[in-house]
Amino acid sequence: MSNYYFSAKVDDDTTLCIAPITARRIELSGQEIADDSGYFLFQTKGGAEPSEVEILARLTSEEAVLRLSQMLDLK
C-alpha cells in the first residue's frame, strides 16, 4: 500500500485521521494492537503533538481507505 494520510479538524483540539499508525500513537491510545499493518481511523487530541489518541477502526485495503476518507470528507 502507498502511504496515504487523510485528516480533518473536528474542533480546535481534535483531529480525525486515516493513516498508518505509529508506535507512539499506539502508546498514546493505551490500546494493544497485535497487527499494526495497514491503515487506521483514529482521533487525536492535543494539537500537532497529540497527548491523546483514540483508535476507532483498522482498514485493510486502499479501497477502504479511499472510500472512508471520501465519506468522512477527509483531505
Side-chain angles (χ1 to χ4, degrees), residues 15-74:
T15 303
L16 187 63
C17 305
I18 296 176
I21 197 84
T22 63
R24 175 72 178 138
R25 294 216 162 125
I26 293 171
E27 180 183 326
L28 287 171
S29 77
Q31 296 173 260
E32 290 188 25
I33 304 295
D35 182 1
D36 65 357
S37 63
Y39 288 84
F40 289 80
L41 172 65
F42 58 93
Q43 179 175 284
T44 65
K45 292 190 179 206
E49 286 300 319
S51 57
E52 186 179 326
V53 173
E54 181 180 3
I55 299 170
L56 304 169
R58 180 170 175 259
L59 306 169
T60 57
S61 72
E62 286 186 359
E63 181 180 335
V65 168
L66 297 173
R67 289 181 68 198
L68 188 58
S69 69
Q70 291 172 345
M71 284 185 237
L72 298 174
D73 198 26
L74 303 180

